[in-house]
């Protein structure tokens, strides 16, 4: 036992023997304990001291010294268990030792906010009439106890007494949310009245409260709040807001006659200069009780948008300006149809009213170059204009469709949109549509960053994206907020679930990690990771781990397994084939499991077909020959051979469209390892001829490998072994390519096909989409010839894209240096004698893309080309194609120009 341990042990024994009375403890005693703790903190004996205290508490659960020392050590390490310090405080509370209670609570708060300590101090200061200290505790308590509502209301009332209107409103807003959560409507109504009395005009907040009351309580109570708000808004002559309030009331209660009469009054005030106001009220039957009020409002608002000088849109004629309205006739000037007359009834149904600052109006009345300059210069104005043009909700796709190609080119859009996206993300004047998170809205009042993140979190469906929003909130905003509490409680709620799945495990890891940093968020769990893990069946551990789609949480899971699970090494070994990280290997080796790691690597190498990613990872991480021999004892040549087999396997799976994306990734990794990093070349050149033949034969038999890689490797081998005959191994490659899914092409032909594909995707398809859009505007799709023609062309373009993408994927560029003039093959110019006519014919053998029979260029995969392929000079040939017989003799073979 060390001197420090002996000192602590002596103190504990003395306490036990003397059985010191509680009344004898003073603050000075605890300061002496603090001096001892400083010694403990400066040593490496914290665990040992903690264990001594634990043993003492088993003998005497009320050991003051043990409770204090172990409690402070627990707080220092941000562990979730604060029960020791709470028990100690309660001992002195029960004995009315208030000076010690205050000291201990303040000591706990030195390590982070704690609800119990704050509430104990609040009660103490209230009883002692220590108002200054009480207010300080109130401010802190409401930030960590999200259910506390009365104190928030008291703070609001105090701010109001002090004449701090803004401070009072902020506290009343916080209080009203909390009382809604407690379902105390009478208090909610009182606070709502206070907020209105203080002149609050942030209507987005007020409507949010109304909506929440309707959901948590009922619509009738929401109506009461709106009816209390309406008089103040009417008095301020804010007609748009007043109308919105009345619409909400009528949505909840369509038979509310007072609201119906008031909305007519508001419309009269808003449109008092409109020439057709009375007529439109009459036509819509808005003031007639028999008409459905919602239908009447919709009807009226359709009509009222029509007046002289108003802009409208027709799906065929575009934007127009209403010249006049007389009786039932409307006269409209469209760009290409002046003085067009239609009935009011037809206009209401066929026309869409537009505000004068609608983007369609601006595009029709402003010169393109002037509007373009404005758009390129002023992103915020442009975004505001477009979003407001479409009922204050638009996504990036919609914004682009309004600008490209009418105003901006695709290239200009790329740069412009990058800035626009950043503005939409960071500028508080914009927010996300609560119903469609990919859509943006323009806010009447700026949205705080924490509210923006909260809204994104609330509407996000993906569990792991929600986690990212929570992390963003913690990095950029104050976790001591009601917004963050709702986010936190979402994950804490999973900890009450009986069945353990990845949601529960991830939530545990998140919640406990956050609670260590912010102890006031401690959910009070009476179980830990060890108990949680014991509820997971062995067979489900790896599948559950792989469902954790977050690298940080995966790492946290592994750390917890290492710390809490007895047979953690077995878990690590079972996870590794499916999730590779050096952390697993280093931990296993560091714990003395080197032999088990070597066995794991051997298993991965042997089962490379099953563990493809793991095999490639191990090869790349321990890629040098020396590392392999030292780490695994596996011969390096075997690793290379299995990698070649794996390359062939992935190529075949890609050809069969079997997990093509993942197999492409693996094949690229193997190619990089073998060829770009020169590992295969270096090993071959360091070996003997048997090694050369063995490995080259294997790689040469991989059908779909890029021929250039084989050619380059062969050259290197021939440089070292000039007399080594390996050309024969390549003789059949063009024929094999003809039989395989891939085919040879010239580099020029490949570039031409890529250019053709780009033209279709970037020019022809957008043009076709625009044509279809114009055809749709003509209406009546069943009899619309333009629409049908556009759709047919769209289908043919999509087929062409699919065909070109497939062919380009299968194409292999033939290396001109690889042309073999000893036989007819790709890239040769062949002179033939027709044995029937004795005429000489000269043909060039290339690929299907270069084929041009009129100019005597034949594809090697065509029946004629295939019949000639592989034959040598002077060879006589007889074959039949489509029931026609051919008899030729090969006179000469030379390299073609291509």
């Amino acid at each position: 036992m060390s001197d420090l341990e002996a000192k602590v042990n002596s103190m504990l024994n003395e306490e036990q023997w003397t059985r010191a009375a509680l009344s004898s403890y003073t603050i000075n005693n605890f300061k002496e304990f603090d001096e001892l703790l400083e010694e403990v903190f400066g040593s490496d004996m914290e665990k040992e001291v903690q264990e001594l205290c634990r043993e003492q508490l088993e003998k005497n659960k009320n050991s003051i010294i043990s409770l204090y020392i172990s409690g402070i050590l627990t707080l220092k390490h941000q562990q979730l268990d604060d029960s020791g310090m709470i028990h100690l405080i309660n001992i002195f509370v029960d004995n009315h030792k208030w000076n010690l209670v205050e000291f201990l609570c303040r000591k706990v708060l030195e390590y982070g906010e704690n609800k119990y300590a704050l509430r104990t101090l609040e009660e103490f200061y209230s009883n002692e009439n220590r108002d200054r200290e009480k207010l300080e505790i109130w401010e802190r308590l409401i930030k960590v106890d999200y259910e506390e509502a009365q104190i928030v209301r008291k703070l609001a009332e105090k701010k109001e007494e002090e004449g701090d209107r803004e401070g009072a409103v902020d506290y009343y807003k916080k209080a009203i949310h909390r009382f809604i959560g407690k379902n105390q409507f009478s208090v909610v109504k009182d606070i709502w009245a206070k907020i209105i009395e203080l002149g609050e005009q942030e209507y987005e907040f007020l409507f949010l409260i109304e909506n929440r009351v309707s959901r948590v309580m009922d619509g009738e109570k929401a109506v009461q709040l709106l009816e209390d708000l309406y008089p103040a808004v009417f008095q301020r002559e804010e007609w748009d807001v007043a109308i919105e309030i009345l619409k909400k009331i009528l949505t909840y209660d369509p038979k509310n006659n007072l609201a119906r009469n008031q909305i007519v009054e508001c419309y009269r005030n808003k449109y008092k200069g409109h020439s057709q106001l009375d007529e439109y009220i009459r036509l819509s039957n808005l003031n007639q009780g028999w008409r459905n009020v919602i239908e009447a409002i919709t009807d009226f608002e359709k009509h009222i948008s029509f007046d002289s000088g108003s802009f409208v849109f027709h799906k065929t004629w575009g934007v127009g300006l209403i010249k006049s309205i007389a009786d039932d006739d409307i006269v409209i000037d469209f760009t290409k149809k002046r003085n067009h007359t239609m009935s009011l009834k037809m206009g209401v149904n066929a026309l869409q009213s537009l505000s004068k600052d609608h983007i369609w109006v601006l595009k029709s009345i402003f010169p393109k170059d002037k509007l373009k300059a404005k758009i390129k210069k002023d992103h915020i104005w442009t975004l505001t204009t477009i979003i407001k043009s479409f009922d204050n909700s638009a996504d990036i796709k919609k914004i682009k469709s309004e600008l490209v190609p009418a105003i901006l080119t695709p290239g200009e859009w790329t740069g412009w949109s990058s800035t626009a996206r950043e503005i939409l993300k960071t500028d508080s004047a914009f927010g996300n549509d609560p119903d469609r998170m990919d859509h943006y809205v323009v806010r009447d009042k700026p949205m705080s960053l924490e509210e923006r993140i909260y809204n994104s979190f609330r509407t996000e469906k993906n569990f792991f994206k929600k986690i990212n929003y929570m992390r963003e909130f913690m990095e950029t905003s104050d976790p001591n907020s009601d917004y963050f509490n709702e986010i936190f409680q979402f994950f804490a709620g999973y900890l009450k679930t009986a069945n353990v799945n990845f949601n529960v495990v991830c939530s545990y890891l998140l919640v406990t990690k956050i609670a260590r940093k912010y102890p006031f968020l401690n959910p009070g769990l009476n179980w830990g990771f060890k108990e949680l893990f014991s509820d997971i069946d062995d067979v489900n551990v790896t599948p559950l781990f792989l469902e954790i789609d977050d690298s940080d949480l995966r790492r946290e899971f592994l750390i917890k397994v290492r710390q809490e699970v007895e047979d953690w090494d077995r878990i690590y070994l079972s996870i590794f084939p499916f999730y590779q990280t050096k952390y697993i290997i280093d931990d296993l080796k560091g714990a003395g499991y080197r032999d088990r790691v070597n066995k794991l690597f051997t298993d991965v190498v042997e089962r490379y077909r099953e563990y493809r990613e793991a095999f490639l990872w191990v090869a790349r991480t321990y890629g040098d020959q020396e590392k392999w021999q030292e780490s695994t004892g596996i011969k390096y040549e075997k690793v290379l051979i299995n990698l070649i087999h794996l390359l062939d396997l992935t190529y075949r799976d890609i050809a069969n469209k079997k997990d093509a994306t993942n197999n492409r990734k693996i094949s690229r990794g193997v190619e990089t390892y073998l060829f770009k990093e020169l590992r295969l070349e270096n090993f071959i050149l360091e070996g003997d001829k048997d090694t050369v033949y063995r490995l080259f034969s294997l790689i040469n038999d991989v059908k779909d490998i890029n021929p250039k890689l084989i050619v380059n490797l062969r050259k290197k081998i021939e440089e070292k072994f000039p007399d080594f005959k390996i050309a024969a191994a390549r003789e059949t490659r063009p024929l094999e390519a003809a039989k395989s899914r891939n085919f040879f092409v010239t580099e020029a032909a490949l570039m031409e096909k890529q250019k053709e594909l780009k033209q279709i995707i970037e020019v022809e398809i957008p043009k076709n989409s625009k044509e279809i859009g114009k055809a749709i505007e003509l209406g009546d799709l069943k009899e619309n010839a333009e629409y049908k023609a556009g759709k047919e062309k769209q289908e043919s373009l999509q087929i062409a894209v699919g065909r070109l993408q497939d062919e380009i994927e299968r194409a292999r560029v033939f290396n001109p240096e690889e042309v073999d003039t000893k036989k007819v093959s790709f890239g040769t110019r062949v002179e033939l004698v027709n044995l029937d006519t004795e005429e000489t014919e000269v043909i060039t053998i290339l690929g299907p893309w270069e084929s041009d029979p009129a100019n005597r260029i034949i594809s090697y995969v065509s029946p004629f080309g295939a019949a000639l392929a592989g034959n040598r000079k002077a060879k006589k040939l007889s074959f039949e194609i489509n029931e026609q017989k051919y008899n030729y003799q090969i006179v000469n073979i030379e390299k073609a120009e291509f």
Side-chain angles (χ1 to χ4, degrees):
M1 182 178 287
S2 68
D3 292 343
L4 184 57
E5 287 177 276
K7 186 176 181 180
V8 172
N9 196 46
S10 174
M11 290 180 66
L12 295 175
N13 288 331
E14 182 179 351
E15 178 190 40
Q16 183 180 2
W17 295 330
T18 60
R19 298 192 181 277
L22 286 173
S23 59
S24 65
Y25 279 99
T26 65
I27 291 175
N28 285 332
N29 291 129
F30 287 97
K31 288 182 177 179
E32 288 175 12
F33 301 157
D34 285 339
E35 291 175 4
L36 177 62
L37 279 166
E38 287 299 321
E39 290 185 53
V40 176
F41 294 157
S43 70
D44 58 352
M45 304 300 295
E46 291 185 22
K47 288 184 178 180
E48 289 77 5
V49 171
Q50 187 87 302
E51 181 61 21
L52 286 173
C53 293
R54 186 190 65 77
E55 292 173 358
Q56 183 69 10
L57 288 169
E58 287 181 356
K59 302 172 188 175
N60 176 16
K61 66 179 182 179
N62 293 329
S63 167
I64 302 300
I65 299 174
S66 297
L67 286 170
Y68 186 74
I69 291 176
S70 64
I72 296 297
L73 286 171
T74 299
L75 292 173
K76 177 178 180 288
H77 292 288
Q78 295 186 328
Q79 295 174 358
L80 298 182
D81 184 10
D82 58 1
S83 58
M85 288 299 290
I86 290 175
H87 181 52
L88 178 62
I89 292 169
N90 279 331
I91 289 174
F92 289 107
V93 168
D94 293 341
N95 286 272
H96 307 290
K97 295 280 290 183
W98 297 112
N99 62 329
L100 288 177
V101 169
E102 181 182 17
F103 173 84
L104 292 172
C105 287
R106 290 287 182 181
K107 178 62 69 172
V108 169
L109 294 174
E110 288 178 14
Y111 293 91
E113 299 294 61
N114 182 285
K115 280 188 279 190
Y116 176 82
L118 288 168
R119 192 159 289 286
T120 302
L121 284 173
E122 189 274 332
E123 184 179 349
F124 170 57
Y125 292 144
S126 294
N127 292 333
E128 295 290 315
N129 295 318
R130 291 167 60 176
D131 290 343
R132 185 178 61 82
E133 291 98 331
K134 180 182 70 176
L135 282 174
E136 178 233 334
I137 296 300
W138 277 6
E139 295 275 7
R140 294 170 67 177
L141 181 59
I142 64 170
K143 290 180 179 179
V144 300
D145 188 346
Y146 299 109
E147 294 182 3
E148 177 55 60
Q150 285 293 354
I151 290 177
V152 183
R153 186 182 185 184
K154 289 177 182 177
L155 284 168
E157 291 168 347
K158 183 164 184 59
K159 290 290 183 183
E160 188 179 358
E161 289 172 8
E162 295 171 352
D164 183 356
R165 176 199 163 279
E166 187 175 338
V169 169
D170 284 343
Y171 279 119
Y172 277 130
K173 283 181 177 180
K174 191 183 289 285
I176 199 169
H177 271 297
R178 297 189 181 190
F179 280 111
I180 291 172
K182 292 177 177 292
N183 211 359
Q184 296 182 18
F185 181 68
S186 60
V187 183
V188 169
K189 199 167 186 295
D190 290 343
I191 295 175
W192 176 270
K194 272 291 181 186
I195 292 173
I196 296 170
E197 181 187 324
L198 290 169
E200 177 56 31
Q201 297 179 42
E202 189 179 337
Y203 297 117
E204 285 186 34
F205 168 79
L206 295 172
F207 290 149
L208 174 67
I209 295 299
E210 161 259 318
N211 181 264
R212 192 172 173 210
V213 166
S214 72
R215 287 185 290 107
V216 175
M217 300 174 186
D218 58 57
E220 184 181 340
K221 291 181 173 61
V223 168
Q224 292 183 46
L225 298 183
L226 292 170
E227 288 177 339
D228 289 347
L229 174 62
Y230 174 74
V233 176
F234 184 90
Q235 189 175 3
R236 288 194 290 265
E237 298 185 355
E238 296 178 81
W239 306 122
D240 285 334
V241 179
I243 289 167
E244 186 173 358
I245 292 170
L246 294 168
K247 283 182 180 179
K248 285 176 174 288
I249 292 173
L250 290 166
T251 300
Y252 291 120
D253 180 12
K255 295 183 179 180
N256 190 312
N257 291 324
L258 178 61
R260 185 164 191 155
N261 292 332
Q262 284 297 310
I263 203 167
V264 173
E265 182 68 20
C266 288
Y267 279 136
R268 287 189 180 281
N269 281 292
K270 179 178 179 179
Y271 298 108
K272 59 186 177 183
H274 198 291
S275 63
Q276 305 294 315
L277 175 61
D278 290 331
E279 178 65 11
Y280 290 161
I281 290 175
R282 184 187 67 80
L283 287 174
S284 65
N285 294 302
L286 186 59
N287 53 7
Q288 301 298 316
W290 58 266
R291 177 81 192 276
N292 179 288
V293 67
I294 303 301
E295 292 177 0
I297 289 171
T298 303
D299 203 7
F300 172 79
E301 291 187 344
K302 276 186 179 180
H303 281 81
I304 201 67
S305 61
F306 293 96
D307 198 10
S308 300
S310 298
F311 288 96
V312 293
F313 175 81
H314 188 275
K315 61 184 178 181
T316 301
W317 304 314
V319 176
L321 181 68
I322 298 177
K323 287 183 65 177
S324 63
I325 300 178
D327 299 324
D328 192 40
D329 290 330
I330 308 176
V331 180
I332 307 167
D333 272 344
F334 293 103
T335 305
K336 298 180 181 179
K337 199 173 181 70
R338 299 286 180 178
N339 294 314
H340 179 72
T341 302
M342 64 171 63
S343 68
L344 178 60
K345 184 177 181 180
M346 181 179 289
V348 169
N349 293 323
L351 299 174
Q352 176 184 342
S353 62
L354 303 176
S355 64
K356 63 182 180 180
D357 53 358
H358 194 289
I359 186 64
W360 293 350
V361 173
L362 300 179
K363 286 195 286 188
S364 67
I365 65 176
F366 281 102
K368 180 179 177 180
D369 56 347
K370 183 178 179 181
L371 185 59
K372 182 173 184 174
K374 174 69 172 174
I375 286 169
K376 293 182 76 171
K377 180 181 179 181
D378 196 337
H379 286 72
I380 293 178
W381 173 85
T382 306
L383 292 168
T384 302
T385 298
I386 295 176
I387 292 170
K388 283 192 170 183
S389 294
F390 302 99
D391 296 325
N392 198 29
S393 182
D395 60 3
I396 287 292
K397 185 177 179 182
K398 182 62 180 175
I399 294 168
K400 180 180 180 180
S401 70
E402 292 303 322
L403 299 179
V404 181
I407 300 172
L408 301 178
T409 66
E412 290 171 328
W413 163 259
T414 301
W416 190 92
S417 65
S418 177
T419 304
R421 290 174 195 273
E422 186 64 23
I423 290 171
L424 290 170
K425 183 180 178 182
T426 58
D427 195 310
S428 59
F430 300 97
N432 293 99
D433 188 329
D435 298 320
R436 296 177 293 178
M437 282 307 298
D438 59 338
H439 282 58
Y440 298 94
V441 298
V442 180
R443 291 177 57 91
D444 294 332
K445 289 194 174 182
M447 177 188 286
S448 67
L449 180 59
E450 68 174 25
E451 185 180 355
R452 180 192 292 270
I453 298 170
Y454 167 74
N455 286 339
S456 299
F457 174 89
R458 188 167 56 86
T459 55
E460 179 58 60
K461 304 299 181 187
N462 182 279
F463 180 82
F464 292 102
K465 288 182 180 178
K466 279 182 174 290
I467 290 174
N468 289 333
Y469 280 125
M470 185 187 70
R471 287 171 175 155
E472 184 181 356
F473 195 107
M474 293 183 69
E475 289 172 3
T476 59
S477 305
D478 184 7
N480 298 322
S481 77
D482 288 349
Y483 286 127
F484 184 74
N485 180 53
E486 286 198 39
I487 294 174
F488 182 82
Q489 292 305 323
F490 169 83
F491 295 106
Y494 277 105
L495 304 184
K496 301 171 185 176
T497 305
N499 297 323
V500 177
N501 56 24
F502 76 89
N503 300 101
V504 176
V505 171
C506 291
S507 296
Y508 173 84
L509 296 172
L510 283 167
V511 166
T512 52
K513 185 175 183 178
I514 293 169
R516 283 195 295 273
K517 187 173 183 180
Y518 302 103
F520 63 86
L521 289 170
N522 185 351
L525 301 177
N526 58 4
W527 48 268
F529 184 83
K530 188 174 184 178
E531 292 76 16
L532 178 71
F533 191 85
S534 67
D535 288 337
I536 307 172
D537 293 335
D538 271 4
V539 294
N540 293 328
V541 172
T542 298
L544 184 148
F545 175 82
L546 296 175
E547 284 188 279
I548 301 176
D549 190 19
D550 183 277
S551 58
D552 290 341
L553 288 177
R554 283 184 171 181
R555 177 68 179 269
E556 190 75 19
F557 179 88
L558 292 171
I559 291 172
K560 284 292 183 184
V561 167
R562 175 77 161 87
Q563 294 172 344
E564 305 283 349
V565 180
E566 190 172 333
D567 58 343
W568 64 271
D569 52 299
R570 181 181 61 81
I571 304 300
Y572 273 29
L573 291 166
S574 67
I575 288 174
F576 178 81
F578 307 96
Y579 177 73
Q580 298 78 49
T581 171
K582 213 163 181 301
Y583 173 80
I584 289 178
I585 302 303
D586 290 346
D587 246 23
L588 287 167
K589 286 183 175 181
Y593 294 112
R594 185 174 294 274
D595 290 342
R596 299 189 68 179
V597 170
N598 291 345
K599 185 178 182 303
L600 172 67
F601 285 176
T602 302
D603 193 39
V604 166
V605 174
E606 294 290 347
R607 299 170 65 181
Y608 68 89
R609 293 172 180 272
E610 182 181 353
Y611 300 145
R612 300 183 187 191
E613 293 92 342
F615 176 41
L616 181 58
W617 185 91
V618 170
R620 295 170 79 168
T621 307
Y622 301 92
D624 297 333
Q625 281 192 64
E626 296 78 10
K627 282 186 179 179
W628 269 104
Q629 294 295 128
E630 178 187 342
S631 300
T632 66
I634 302 171
K635 288 187 176 181
Y636 189 59
E637 182 176 349
K638 183 173 184 179
V639 175
L640 295 177
I641 288 171
N642 284 5
L643 282 169
I644 294 169
H645 288 322
L646 178 59
L647 189 63
D648 188 38
L649 185 62
T650 55
Y651 282 154
R652 283 191 272 116
D653 283 349
I654 292 168
N656 294 324
K657 298 184 178 179
K658 181 180 177 182
D659 195 12
T661 301
N662 193 44
N663 277 304
R664 283 195 189 94
K665 180 181 175 182
I666 295 170
S667 66
R668 286 195 295 268
V670 175
E671 283 184 3
T672 298
Y673 183 87
L674 293 177
F675 294 100
K676 288 187 180 179
E677 295 175 8
L678 304 178
R679 297 188 188 276
L680 180 60
E681 177 184 315
N682 292 338
F683 185 83
I684 286 178
L685 297 181
E686 290 171 5
D688 54 22
K689 288 185 178 180
D690 287 342
T691 302
V692 173
Y693 178 79
R694 192 161 51 247
L695 289 175
F696 186 82
S697 297
L698 277 175
I699 197 68
N700 192 50
D701 285 340
V702 178
K703 288 184 178 181
D704 293 333
I705 196 168
N706 187 339
K708 286 184 178 179
L709 299 175
I710 301 299
V711 171
N712 293 336
L713 181 59
R714 186 180 65 188
K715 285 182 178 178
K716 294 288 185 181
I717 294 172
E718 288 176 340
E719 287 174 6
K720 183 167 184 179
F721 303 102
D723 59 336
F724 195 75
K725 304 297 182 184
I726 53 177
R730 296 281 302 162
E731 284 183 356
T732 60
R733 180 161 296 280
L735 293 177
E736 289 174 353
K739 296 173 186 175
S740 74
R741 187 171 177 272
N742 299 328
F743 58 92
F744 287 113
V745 298
T746 62
E747 188 172 4
L750 177 61
M751 292 175 65
E752 189 63 29
K753 289 291 183 182
Q754 290 171 334
K755 183 178 177 182
E756 181 183 348
L757 177 62
K758 185 177 180 182
Q759 170 72 13
I760 294 174
I761 292 175
E762 296 184 2
V763 179
E764 295 185 33
I765 288 180
K767 181 180 177 183
N768 172 250
S769 297
K770 190 174 181 181
E771 289 170 351
I772 292 174
K774 289 182 178 179
I776 290 173
E777 292 175 359
L778 299 175
D780 193 9
L781 301 184
K782 290 183 179 179
E783 303 297 328
N784 192 324
E786 290 88 350
Y787 176 78
K788 290 181 179 178
K791 292 298 287 183
E792 287 173 3
K793 185 176 179 181
Q794 183 185 60
E795 185 178 357
S796 67
L797 287 171
Q798 289 171 346
I799 291 171
V801 167
R803 174 180 55 78
L804 281 169
Q805 287 176 334
D806 180 67
E807 289 181 357
I808 289 170
E809 183 182 327
R810 293 189 292 115
R812 297 291 181 266
V813 175
F814 191 92
N815 187 348
E817 297 179 8
E818 200 177 8
V819 173
D820 185 1
T821 57
K822 294 178 181 178
K823 63 184 187 309
V824 178
S825 58
F826 189 104
T828 57
R829 184 173 178 273
V830 185
E831 184 179 344
L832 304 168
V833 171
N834 188 321
L835 299 178
D836 296 327
T837 64
E838 297 185 354
E839 293 180 357
T840 299
E841 300 177 20
V842 178
I843 62 172
T844 299
I845 304 293
L846 292 175
W849 284 355
E850 298 84 4
S851 179
D852 183 6
N855 290 308
R856 312 297 293 171
I857 300 174
I858 304 297
S859 168
Y860 72 91
V861 297
S862 68
F864 194 94
L868 296 177
N871 291 292
R872 298 174 179 273
K873 184 177 177 180
K875 177 77 172 180
K876 290 184 179 181
L877 306 171
S878 293
F879 51 89
E880 185 176 312
I881 300 174
N882 296 330
E883 298 182 357
Q884 182 176 346
K885 292 184 178 180
Y886 296 87
N887 295 294
Y888 285 102
Q889 183 175 14
I890 299 173
V891 177
N892 189 37
I893 303 172
E894 61 183 35
K895 184 177 178 180
E897 294 182 6
F898 65 96

